[in-house]
Amino acid sequence: MYKLGLPADPKEVAAIEARRNREKERQSRFFNVRNRVMGVDVEALNNQVEEKKLREATEQSKDAAYATKQVQYDLVAQMLEKEEAERARRLAKKIQDFRKQKQQLKNRREFDPWDPDRLQREFPVYFNDSDPFYGPASMQCFFGEDLDRTTYLRMQQEQFRYSLERQLQEQQQARVDEKCADMLNDQLHLAMDMRAAHLARLEESCRVAMTFAMANANKAQAAELAERQRLEHQRQQEANLMEIQNQVTSDFLTENPQVAQNSMAPHRVLPYCWKGMTPEQRAAIREVQEAQCHEKEAQHQAEQALDTEWESQTMHLAQAAQELEEQERELCAEFRRGLGSFNQQLAKEQKAQQNYLNSIIYTNQPTAQYHLQFNTSSR
């Protein structure tokens, strides 16, 4: 595979480091002779239980704070949704009122083609002389006559008064509706502000409670850690004193060679109690080393003699090979001289043969008549 030199993943490196630390901690527990001989470390198990309880309490407090915030956000969202729905309802009501007042069917420009009484109004029945449908040619009315002028004026005044009263009523109703809407809006904002202030107070109280609980937990954890460190230091001091006493009173620091003897195998020693070799053992080893040195020296001299013999044989073989090469060179030179003289003789004979052919055999040149006869005979 090619080495691309990519950077390692930080998460993978952190996971590997965590596993390595857990393995080191586990090995330290396993290799601790005191805990392995006496049994399970009850204090460590109790500490783990306390840490788990503290972690669960912290998680519960965090969940409670998160639930409180979620309820607050839900209430604010509900109030905003209600306000949006009320605003949409008021807008729809205003649009509906505007359509009823300003967009009636009879006021539209395209109402004439849709009027169901259009045909009846095209040919109305004659009522009086002032009917506009009948002109001067009908002999029903004449220019200058206005029989219903008083009625028209009264109807116009009534219509103007009715329109004015209706506008006043609409303006008053609009002002009342606007005041009601403003009042409702102010009440809604006031309720939202009060609710937000209440939720803020609840959040602040929850935060203070969480801070107080966290401070108490941290204090308890710090006190527990200090107590655990004190007990660990005390146990370490006791273990060190016991170890010093054991070393002083045991055979470990003595020079007795019998301590290192293995009761099951006399020819072996105990490595953790062995203090070194005796003078007799060191003398025996020196004698064996001297014998090995003499044997090594004799072997070295024999190898030198053998190397000298091989060198002489190699020189004789090289001289014989050199003599054979000189003989081969002399034979090759003699062969080349004979080959050169043979080639010169052969060249002279070929040259004499060519001169004979050119001077005697190929003296007559063929004419055109010869070629013509040759072609005729071949056909």
Side-chain angles (χ1 to χ4, degrees), residues 16-107:
I16 293 172
E17 187 65 24
R19 287 199 299 271
R20 186 180 293 113
N21 293 332
R22 288 197 298 269
E23 182 65 22
K24 288 181 179 178
E25 184 178 359
R26 188 175 66 88
Q27 289 180 1
S28 64
R29 291 199 308 270
F30 287 170
F31 295 152
N32 192 348
V33 181
R34 182 187 300 277
N35 294 334
R36 189 173 68 246
V37 174
M38 297 177 64
V40 181
D41 191 359
V42 180
E43 185 178 358
L45 297 178
N46 294 330
N47 294 332
Q48 291 178 2
V49 172
E50 294 296 332
E51 290 177 358
K52 184 177 180 182
K53 290 181 180 179
L54 180 60
R55 186 168 59 253
E56 290 178 354
T58 306
E59 292 178 356
Q60 289 178 1
S61 61
K62 289 182 180 179
D63 294 339
Y66 179 75
T68 304
K69 290 184 179 180
Q70 189 174 6
V71 170
Q72 179 183 357
Y73 296 153
D74 292 341
L75 291 175
V76 173
Q78 289 178 3
M79 287 189 289
L80 292 176
E81 288 178 359
K82 288 181 181 179
E83 184 180 359
E84 186 67 24
E86 184 66 23
R87 190 184 297 109
R89 187 186 66 78
R90 290 198 302 269
L91 181 61
K93 187 176 182 301
K94 289 181 180 180
I95 293 173
Q96 190 67 22
D97 295 339
F98 178 79
R99 288 176 179 175
K100 288 181 180 180
Q101 296 173 7
K102 304 297 182 180
Q103 296 181 351
Q104 295 182 1
L105 183 62
K106 63 181 180 180
N107 295 331

XYZ file of all heavy atoms in Angstrom, residues 16-107:
775
model
N -8.503 5.533 20.981
C -7.362 4.637 21.228
C -6.663 5.008 22.530
O -6.289 4.142 23.340
C -6.390 4.698 20.035
C -7.051 4.098 18.790
C -5.104 3.954 20.357
C -6.241 4.279 17.532
N -6.499 6.313 22.778
C -5.849 6.751 24.014
C -6.686 6.380 25.235
O -6.150 5.952 26.270
C -5.645 8.268 23.970
C -4.829 8.820 25.125
C -3.401 8.320 25.111
O -2.922 7.938 24.019
O -2.761 8.302 26.179
N -8.030 6.493 25.123
C -8.899 6.115 26.248
C -8.796 4.618 26.534
O -8.715 4.184 27.690
C -10.345 6.516 25.942
N -8.814 3.815 25.459
C -8.668 2.358 25.644
C -7.316 2.015 26.262
O -7.224 1.133 27.127
C -8.836 1.647 24.303
C -10.268 1.610 23.786
C -10.444 0.544 22.733
N -9.614 0.774 21.579
C -9.996 1.506 20.521
N -11.193 2.062 20.508
N -9.200 1.661 19.490
N -6.269 2.712 25.837
C -4.941 2.451 26.394
C -4.897 2.800 27.887
O -4.334 2.058 28.707
C -3.898 3.261 25.624
C -2.472 2.939 26.031
C -1.459 3.748 25.248
N -1.442 3.371 23.853
C -1.835 4.159 22.862
N -2.287 5.377 23.127
N -1.785 3.758 21.600
N -5.520 3.918 28.261
C -5.547 4.305 29.678
C -6.345 3.318 30.518
O -5.942 2.960 31.631
C -6.138 5.707 29.819
C -5.242 6.762 29.200
O -4.026 6.587 29.133
N -5.830 7.852 28.719
N -7.499 2.867 29.965
C -8.290 1.868 30.701
C -7.512 0.562 30.859
O -7.584 -0.094 31.914
C -9.604 1.613 29.970
C -10.598 2.761 30.063
C -11.996 2.311 29.689
N -12.052 1.837 28.322
C -12.330 2.624 27.284
N -12.573 3.912 27.469
N -12.378 2.140 26.060
N -6.765 0.186 29.816
C -5.980 -1.050 29.909
C -4.868 -0.906 30.949
O -4.605 -1.835 31.721
C -5.390 -1.375 28.537
C -4.583 -2.668 28.487
C -5.445 -3.889 28.746
O -6.682 -3.809 28.554
O -4.895 -4.933 29.137
N -4.211 0.280 30.994
C -3.176 0.495 32.000
C -3.762 0.451 33.404
O -3.172 -0.144 34.325
C -2.504 1.835 31.756
C -1.605 1.871 30.530
C -0.959 3.222 30.379
C -0.041 3.252 29.159
N 0.577 4.607 28.972
N -4.921 1.065 33.582
C -5.562 1.042 34.906
C -5.945 -0.384 35.300
O -5.769 -0.795 36.455
C -6.796 1.938 34.886
C -7.480 2.066 36.235
C -8.678 2.994 36.179
O -8.944 3.536 35.082
O -9.342 3.139 37.219
N -6.454 -1.141 34.328
C -6.833 -2.530 34.622
C -5.601 -3.367 34.982
O -5.634 -4.185 35.913
C -7.536 -3.117 33.404
C -8.151 -4.492 33.634
C -8.930 -4.946 32.421
N -8.045 -5.173 31.301
C -7.426 -6.319 31.045
N -7.607 -7.361 31.859
N -6.635 -6.451 30.013
N -4.496 -3.160 34.249
C -3.270 -3.891 34.565
C -2.742 -3.523 35.954
O -2.247 -4.387 36.687
C -2.221 -3.602 33.499
C -2.528 -4.233 32.144
C -1.468 -3.917 31.119
O -0.482 -3.241 31.430
N -1.656 -4.389 29.892
N -2.841 -2.225 36.286
C -2.381 -1.827 37.623
C -3.219 -2.490 38.712
O -2.695 -2.859 39.782
C -2.444 -0.309 37.756
O -3.786 0.151 37.665
N -4.513 -2.666 38.471
C -5.345 -3.355 39.465
C -5.003 -4.845 39.528
O -4.932 -5.428 40.609
C -6.830 -3.183 39.114
C -7.352 -1.764 39.298
C -8.877 -1.762 39.381
N -9.490 -2.452 38.277
C -9.839 -1.858 37.131
N -9.618 -0.568 36.961
N -10.412 -2.543 36.165
N -4.791 -5.457 38.365
C -4.494 -6.894 38.340
C -3.134 -7.198 38.949
O -2.963 -8.204 39.643
C -4.550 -7.425 36.907
C -5.945 -7.531 36.363
C -6.165 -7.795 35.020
C -7.044 -7.358 37.183
C -7.440 -7.890 34.520
C -8.325 -7.447 36.693
C -8.526 -7.711 35.361
N -2.150 -6.330 38.672
C -0.799 -6.588 39.139
C -0.564 -6.111 40.566
O 0.562 -6.210 41.067
C 0.215 -5.916 38.207
C 0.204 -6.488 36.820
C 0.564 -5.723 35.721
C -0.185 -7.806 36.610
C 0.538 -6.254 34.443
C -0.195 -8.336 35.340
C 0.147 -7.569 34.256
N -1.562 -5.559 41.203
C -1.451 -5.159 42.602
C -1.611 -6.406 43.474
O -2.688 -7.012 43.532
C -2.522 -4.121 42.944
C -2.248 -3.471 44.292
O -1.412 -3.933 45.067
N -2.967 -2.404 44.570
N -0.522 -6.798 44.102
C -0.535 -8.046 44.870
C -1.501 -7.968 46.040
O -2.218 -8.932 46.344
C 0.897 -8.359 45.367
C 0.909 -9.660 46.153
C 1.856 -8.419 44.183
N -1.585 -6.818 46.693
C -2.432 -6.695 47.873
C -3.904 -6.924 47.507
O -4.596 -7.731 48.125
C -2.249 -5.314 48.483
C -3.060 -5.084 49.766
C -2.941 -3.642 50.203
N -1.547 -3.295 50.461
C -0.923 -3.547 51.588
N -1.564 -4.143 52.585
N 0.334 -3.240 51.754
N -4.377 -6.223 46.457
C -5.792 -6.383 46.073
C -6.065 -7.762 45.498
O -7.143 -8.335 45.690
C -6.164 -5.312 45.053
C -6.113 -3.927 45.657
O -6.271 -3.775 46.859
N -5.871 -2.909 44.823
N -5.099 -8.321 44.761
C -5.330 -9.624 44.157
C -5.390 -10.720 45.214
O -6.140 -11.693 45.083
C -4.215 -9.924 43.147
C -4.503 -11.178 42.325
C -3.486 -11.372 41.230
N -2.183 -11.683 41.757
C -1.125 -10.915 41.664
N -1.216 -9.734 41.074
N 0.046 -11.283 42.158
N -4.603 -10.576 46.283
C -4.588 -11.612 47.326
C -5.753 -11.427 48.291
O -6.440 -12.378 48.679
C -3.241 -11.578 48.079
C -3.267 -12.534 49.266
C -2.119 -11.961 47.134
N -6.027 -10.176 48.684
C -7.046 -9.918 49.702
C -8.463 -9.930 49.133
O -9.418 -10.136 49.863
C -6.762 -8.563 50.365
C -5.440 -8.518 51.109
S -5.090 -6.891 51.802
C -6.452 -6.765 52.979
N -8.644 -9.678 47.842
C -9.984 -9.743 47.252
C -10.311 -8.489 46.460
O -9.421 -7.772 45.994
N -11.620 -8.223 46.315
C -12.108 -7.123 45.497
C -11.875 -5.802 46.229
O -11.981 -5.718 47.441
C -13.614 -7.325 45.187
C -14.133 -6.191 44.316
C -13.825 -8.660 44.505
N -11.601 -4.755 45.444
C -11.433 -3.420 46.012
C -12.810 -2.817 46.252
O -13.435 -2.240 45.353
C -10.611 -2.556 45.049
C -10.186 -1.258 45.713
O -10.549 -1.046 46.886
O -9.491 -0.467 45.049
N -13.317 -2.962 47.467
C -14.677 -2.504 47.801
C -14.759 -0.986 47.735
O -15.772 -0.425 47.307
C -15.075 -3.013 49.198
C -16.489 -2.559 49.560
C -14.967 -4.535 49.252
N -13.713 -0.319 48.129
C -13.731 1.140 48.122
C -13.855 1.687 46.705
O -14.604 2.639 46.455
C -12.464 1.665 48.782
C -12.451 3.188 48.923
C -11.204 3.658 49.634
O -10.394 2.789 50.028
O -11.061 4.877 49.792
N -13.144 1.051 45.776
C -13.257 1.491 44.380
C -14.675 1.287 43.850
O -15.228 2.137 43.129
C -12.256 0.736 43.506
N -15.287 0.144 44.219
C -16.668 -0.092 43.800
C -17.622 0.936 44.403
O -18.537 1.436 43.723
C -17.095 -1.512 44.198
C -16.317 -2.662 43.538
C -16.818 -3.991 44.063
C -16.456 -2.614 42.032
N -17.429 1.265 45.674
C -18.274 2.291 46.301
C -18.083 3.646 45.634
O -19.058 4.396 45.424
C -17.950 2.395 47.796
C -18.320 1.117 48.551
O -19.266 0.417 48.149
N -17.602 0.807 49.611
N -16.850 3.971 45.292
C -16.602 5.235 44.586
C -17.293 5.260 43.232
O -17.856 6.289 42.818
C -15.096 5.444 44.405
C -14.389 5.651 45.727
O -14.991 6.138 46.681
N -13.123 5.268 45.793
N -17.275 4.121 42.537
C -17.967 4.057 41.255
C -19.472 4.247 41.428
O -20.126 4.937 40.628
C -17.676 2.716 40.576
C -16.249 2.557 40.103
C -16.000 1.201 39.473
O -16.915 0.389 39.361
N -14.763 0.965 39.054
N -20.044 3.656 42.466
C -21.480 3.823 42.714
C -21.806 5.283 43.017
O -22.796 5.844 42.507
C -21.917 2.901 43.875
C -23.355 3.195 44.277
C -21.786 1.434 43.472
N -20.983 5.934 43.849
C -21.217 7.338 44.166
C -21.087 8.219 42.926
O -21.891 9.143 42.705
C -20.226 7.793 45.248
C -20.405 7.130 46.603
C -21.762 7.482 47.220
O -22.279 8.578 46.912
O -22.293 6.662 47.996
N -20.087 7.952 42.111
C -19.933 8.719 40.873
C -21.122 8.522 39.942
O -21.595 9.473 39.308
C -18.642 8.303 40.166
C -17.378 8.739 40.892
C -16.129 8.239 40.191
O -16.285 7.518 39.174
O -15.024 8.543 40.673
N -21.637 7.285 39.878
C -22.813 7.035 39.040
C -24.027 7.792 39.565
O -24.794 8.387 38.788
C -23.093 5.526 39.001
C -24.240 5.146 38.081
C -24.422 3.648 38.020
C -25.573 3.282 37.081
N -25.784 1.806 37.044
N -24.231 7.799 40.893
C -25.362 8.539 41.465
C -25.221 10.039 41.185
O -26.204 10.713 40.829
C -25.435 8.288 42.969
C -25.871 6.866 43.336
C -25.951 6.703 44.850
C -26.397 5.283 45.231
N -26.460 5.097 46.696
N -24.020 10.564 41.376
C -23.805 11.981 41.111
C -24.054 12.312 39.641
O -24.674 13.340 39.306
C -22.367 12.358 41.496
C -21.972 13.826 41.288
C -22.866 14.736 42.114
C -20.509 14.027 41.633
N -23.608 11.418 38.744
C -23.841 11.641 37.325
C -25.324 11.594 36.982
O -25.838 12.409 36.201
C -23.065 10.595 36.515
C -23.116 10.833 35.018
C -22.118 9.965 34.297
N -22.321 8.550 34.528
C -21.533 7.782 35.289
N -20.488 8.310 35.892
N -21.784 6.486 35.445
N -26.057 10.659 37.588
C -27.497 10.583 37.346
C -28.216 11.822 37.880
O -29.139 12.342 37.234
C -28.057 9.325 38.000
C -27.625 8.023 37.322
C -28.166 6.806 38.038
O -28.780 6.984 39.116
O -27.980 5.681 37.515
N -27.811 12.323 39.068
C -28.436 13.533 39.612
C -28.176 14.736 38.708
O -29.072 15.548 38.448
C -27.909 13.803 41.020
N -26.950 14.833 38.195
C -26.632 15.936 37.281
C -27.462 15.856 36.008
O -27.990 16.863 35.511
C -25.134 15.916 36.948
O -24.382 15.918 38.158
C -24.754 17.118 36.107
N -27.586 14.644 35.468
C -28.394 14.468 34.264
C -29.862 14.793 34.514
O -30.536 15.407 33.675
C -28.240 13.041 33.747
C -26.857 12.719 33.196
C -26.739 11.289 32.738
O -27.726 10.541 32.929
O -25.674 10.910 32.206
N -30.382 14.407 35.708
C -31.769 14.730 36.025
C -31.975 16.235 36.139
O -32.980 16.779 35.662
C -32.168 14.037 37.329
C -32.328 12.511 37.207
C -32.681 11.869 38.541
O -32.815 12.563 39.541
N -32.840 10.546 38.516
N -31.037 16.935 36.770
C -31.165 18.393 36.871
C -31.108 19.046 35.487
O -31.875 19.971 35.193
C -30.050 18.945 37.760
O -28.781 18.644 37.204
N -30.233 18.542 34.634
C -30.162 19.068 33.267
C -31.466 18.810 32.517
O -31.974 19.684 31.793
C -28.987 18.446 32.521
C -27.632 18.917 32.994
C -26.522 18.288 32.166
C -25.146 18.757 32.642
N -24.052 18.127 31.850
N -32.028 17.601 32.679
C -33.301 17.282 32.015
C -34.421 18.172 32.522
O -35.282 18.628 31.751
C -33.650 15.804 32.234
C -32.664 14.873 31.550
O -31.986 15.338 30.615
O -32.556 13.702 31.961
N -34.440 18.439 33.845
C -35.483 19.302 34.398
C -35.367 20.722 33.845
O -36.370 21.356 33.481
C -35.388 19.316 35.924
N -34.137 21.241 33.778
C -33.943 22.582 33.216
C -34.353 22.623 31.750
O -35.003 23.571 31.285
C -32.478 23.007 33.370
N -33.997 21.573 31.021
C -34.389 21.522 29.606
C -35.905 21.445 29.457
O -36.495 22.096 28.568
C -33.730 20.305 28.951
C -34.090 20.131 27.496
C -33.527 20.956 26.517
C -34.987 19.150 27.094
C -33.856 20.808 25.190
C -35.332 19.001 25.757
C -34.752 19.831 24.812
O -35.087 19.683 23.497
N -36.589 20.683 30.342
C -38.043 20.589 30.272
C -38.690 21.933 30.594
O -39.666 22.346 29.948
C -38.531 19.512 31.239
N -38.139 22.654 31.588
C -38.673 23.977 31.927
C -38.539 24.943 30.749
O -39.484 25.666 30.400
C -37.939 24.523 33.154
O -38.045 23.585 34.233
C -38.526 25.851 33.582
N -37.384 24.950 30.145
C -37.195 25.810 28.977
C -38.117 25.414 27.827
O -38.670 26.266 27.122
C -35.739 25.746 28.519
C -34.770 26.418 29.460
C -33.365 26.402 28.887
C -32.393 27.097 29.829
N -31.007 27.094 29.291
N -38.314 24.111 27.645
C -39.194 23.652 26.576
C -40.635 24.098 26.830
O -41.339 24.525 25.907
C -39.112 22.132 26.471
C -39.815 21.568 25.248
C -39.587 20.076 25.109
O -39.004 19.466 25.995
N -40.040 19.511 24.018
N -41.092 24.020 28.096
C -42.448 24.484 28.432
C -42.568 25.981 28.178
O -43.582 26.465 27.634
C -42.761 24.136 29.901
C -44.049 24.810 30.340
C -42.864 22.632 30.084
N -41.545 26.736 28.554
C -41.560 28.176 28.312
C -41.660 28.478 26.819
O -42.477 29.301 26.388
C -40.302 28.798 28.897
C -40.193 30.300 28.678
C -38.893 30.848 29.227
O -38.112 30.112 29.813
N -38.679 32.142 29.047
N -40.853 27.801 26.031
C -40.893 28.031 24.594
C -42.241 27.626 24.004
O -42.761 28.294 23.093
C -39.764 27.263 23.915
C -38.379 27.706 24.309
C -37.289 26.836 24.260
C -38.152 29.013 24.749
C -36.030 27.258 24.652
C -36.890 29.433 25.130
C -35.837 28.556 25.081
O -34.592 28.967 25.451
N -42.823 26.545 24.510
C -44.134 26.120 24.014
C -45.208 27.158 24.327
O -46.073 27.464 23.487
C -44.508 24.767 24.640
C -43.626 23.639 24.142
O -43.004 23.835 23.079
O -43.538 22.595 24.812
N -45.172 27.723 25.544
C -46.154 28.744 25.906
C -46.013 29.990 25.036
O -47.009 30.556 24.570
C -45.989 29.108 27.387
C -46.379 28.011 28.400
C -46.046 28.468 29.813
C -47.858 27.677 28.287
N -44.767 30.416 24.828
C -44.547 31.574 23.962
C -45.025 31.293 22.542
O -45.674 32.141 21.896
C -43.054 31.961 23.975
C -42.772 33.056 22.955
C -42.635 32.422 25.359
N -44.772 30.077 22.046
C -45.220 29.723 20.702
C -46.750 29.699 20.625
O -47.345 30.154 19.630
C -44.643 28.365 20.303
N -47.409 29.169 21.670
C -48.870 29.154 21.667
C -49.437 30.576 21.679
O -50.399 30.882 20.962
C -49.366 28.382 22.897
C -49.128 26.874 22.811
C -49.578 26.163 24.062
O -50.121 26.781 24.980
N -49.353 24.854 24.101
N -48.845 31.465 22.499
C -49.337 32.846 22.527
C -49.119 33.532 21.177
O -49.989 34.268 20.694
C -48.624 33.609 23.640
C -49.084 33.209 25.036
S -48.431 34.294 26.333
C -46.712 33.812 26.311
N -47.988 33.279 20.556
C -47.745 33.858 19.234
C -48.719 33.313 18.201
O -49.210 34.051 17.324
C -46.301 33.580 18.807
C -45.218 34.303 19.605
C -43.834 33.855 19.140
C -45.337 35.811 19.453
N -49.019 32.022 18.278
C -49.990 31.438 17.350
C -51.378 32.037 17.563
O -52.100 32.337 16.595
C -50.022 29.925 17.545
C -48.780 29.210 17.029
C -48.835 27.721 17.282
O -49.843 27.266 17.884
O -47.885 27.021 16.865
N -51.789 32.226 18.838
C -53.095 32.840 19.112
C -53.144 34.272 18.587
O -54.145 34.699 17.989
C -53.355 32.812 20.611
C -53.654 31.426 21.174
C -53.924 31.497 22.663
C -54.207 30.098 23.229
N -54.459 30.133 24.696
N -52.062 35.023 18.810
C -52.034 36.390 18.306
C -52.108 36.427 16.787
O -52.831 37.253 16.204
C -50.759 37.070 18.791
C -50.670 38.536 18.409
C -49.384 39.165 18.904
O -48.608 38.450 19.555
O -49.176 40.364 18.641
N -51.399 35.521 16.114
C -51.444 35.460 14.653
C -52.836 35.080 14.162
O -53.352 35.652 13.180
C -50.398 34.453 14.155
C -50.255 34.398 12.643
C -49.671 35.683 12.090
O -48.990 36.391 12.832
O -49.918 35.955 10.890
N -53.488 34.119 14.847
C -54.838 33.732 14.448
C -55.824 34.878 14.648
O -56.694 35.129 13.800
C -55.271 32.503 15.251
N -55.700 35.623 15.773
C -56.577 36.771 16.013
C -56.358 37.859 14.970
O -57.313 38.477 14.473
C -56.318 37.315 17.425
C -57.237 38.440 17.835
C -58.686 38.002 17.965
O -58.924 36.793 18.170
O -59.575 38.864 17.848
N -55.112 38.102 14.607
C -54.822 39.090 13.582
C -55.408 38.669 12.241
O -55.996 39.504 11.509
C -53.321 39.283 13.464
C -52.926 40.472 12.579
C -51.425 40.582 12.416
N -50.765 40.832 13.689
C -50.015 39.952 14.330
N -49.817 38.751 13.794
N -49.442 40.253 15.472
N -55.281 37.400 11.901
C -55.860 36.918 10.645
C -57.389 37.010 10.659
O -58.019 37.354 9.650
C -55.420 35.467 10.404
N -57.993 36.720 11.837
C -59.458 36.815 11.930
C -59.940 38.244 11.739
O -60.912 38.520 11.030
C -59.919 36.258 13.272
C -61.438 36.144 13.429
C -61.786 35.713 14.845
N -61.408 36.749 15.814
C -62.128 37.870 16.019
N -63.239 38.098 15.331
N -61.729 38.741 16.907
N -59.254 39.228 12.387
C -59.639 40.630 12.240
C -59.478 41.096 10.796
O -60.323 41.819 10.259
C -58.791 41.495 13.177
C -59.113 41.310 14.652
C -58.581 42.485 15.470
N -57.145 42.654 15.317
C -56.245 42.085 16.092
N -56.615 41.279 17.079
N -54.955 42.301 15.891
N -58.368 40.667 10.160
C -58.150 41.053 8.770
C -59.228 40.467 7.861
O -59.748 41.156 6.963
C -56.758 40.580 8.330
C -56.359 40.917 6.888
C -56.348 42.427 6.679
C -54.989 40.332 6.555
N -59.590 39.200 8.115
C -60.652 38.594 7.298
C -61.987 39.298 7.505
O -62.761 39.502 6.553
C -60.763 37.099 7.640
N -62.277 39.699 8.756
C -63.531 40.405 9.039
C -63.561 41.764 8.340
O -64.593 42.166 7.759
C -63.692 40.580 10.542
C -65.038 41.160 10.977
C -65.131 41.196 12.477
C -66.514 41.737 12.887
N -66.768 43.087 12.349
N -62.410 42.475 8.376
C -62.356 43.762 7.684
C -62.532 43.597 6.183
O -63.231 44.388 5.536
C -61.028 44.444 7.986
C -60.900 44.947 9.408
C -59.560 45.640 9.618
C -59.436 46.150 11.056
N -58.129 46.830 11.289
N -61.928 42.575 5.631
C -62.081 42.330 4.190
C -63.531 42.013 3.845
O -64.080 42.499 2.840
C -61.134 41.197 3.758
C -59.669 41.649 3.875
C -61.415 40.762 2.333
C -58.673 40.541 3.637
N -64.173 41.201 4.706
C -65.577 40.851 4.456
C -66.489 42.077 4.544
O -67.392 42.271 3.709
C -66.021 39.780 5.458
C -67.366 39.154 5.161
C -67.335 38.332 3.882
O -66.262 37.896 3.444
N -68.490 38.145 3.288
N -66.237 42.937 5.547
C -67.038 44.160 5.664
C -66.815 45.080 4.476
O -67.771 45.701 3.955
C -66.682 44.881 6.960
C -67.081 44.063 8.184
O -67.954 43.175 8.041
O -66.500 44.300 9.280
N -65.563 45.200 4.040
C -65.286 46.051 2.875
C -66.001 45.519 1.635
O -66.545 46.301 0.837
C -63.773 46.118 2.645
C -63.381 46.914 1.444
C -63.360 48.312 1.492
C -63.056 46.283 0.257
C -62.997 49.050 0.377
C -62.709 47.023 -0.853
C -62.672 48.408 -0.802
N -66.021 44.214 1.460
C -66.718 43.645 0.305
C -68.227 43.905 0.379
O -68.881 44.177 -0.638
C -66.436 42.152 0.227
C -65.012 41.822 -0.205
C -64.768 40.346 -0.173
N -63.404 40.017 -0.617
C -62.878 38.792 -0.591
N -63.609 37.775 -0.128
N -61.650 38.595 -1.025
N -68.792 43.806 1.606
C -70.234 44.061 1.752
C -70.587 45.519 1.492
O -71.671 45.817 0.949
C -70.679 43.665 3.155
C -70.708 42.167 3.393
C -71.178 41.860 4.806
C -71.214 40.352 5.052
N -71.668 40.033 6.432
N -69.691 46.461 1.865
C -70.002 47.877 1.742
C -69.596 48.461 0.390
O -70.341 49.259 -0.173
C -69.296 48.653 2.861
C -69.779 48.286 4.256
C -68.951 48.931 5.334
O -68.080 49.761 5.032
N -69.238 48.591 6.585
N -68.432 48.088 -0.122
C -67.886 48.750 -1.314
C -67.948 47.910 -2.584
O -67.765 48.463 -3.675
C -66.420 49.126 -1.051
C -66.201 49.997 0.183
C -66.883 51.340 0.028
C -66.618 52.216 1.256
N -67.278 53.541 1.139
N -68.118 46.616 -2.465
C -68.081 45.739 -3.648
C -69.392 44.999 -3.817
O -69.422 43.779 -3.952
C -66.913 44.753 -3.511
C -65.545 45.411 -3.504
C -64.422 44.396 -3.395
O -64.675 43.220 -3.167
N -63.191 44.855 -3.560
N -70.491 45.714 -3.783
C -71.794 45.094 -4.023
C -71.963 44.773 -5.494
O -71.331 45.370 -6.362
C -72.901 46.033 -3.528
C -72.881 46.267 -2.018
C -74.000 47.156 -1.564
O -74.821 47.587 -2.380
N -74.051 47.419 -0.264
N -72.890 43.863 -5.738
C -73.079 43.396 -7.115
C -73.644 44.477 -8.010
O -73.262 44.597 -9.187
C -74.000 42.166 -7.100
C -74.252 41.491 -8.445
C -72.947 40.961 -9.028
C -75.271 40.374 -8.304
N -74.506 45.309 -7.471
C -75.144 46.334 -8.295
C -74.198 47.474 -8.640
O -74.498 48.265 -9.543
C -76.377 46.885 -7.588
C -76.050 47.598 -6.277
C -77.311 48.087 -5.617
C -76.969 48.810 -4.299
N -78.212 49.297 -3.630
N -73.072 47.604 -7.927
C -72.116 48.679 -8.196
C -71.014 48.262 -9.160
O -70.125 49.067 -9.441
C -71.482 49.145 -6.891
C -72.490 49.773 -5.968
O -73.482 50.355 -6.430
N -72.255 49.664 -4.655
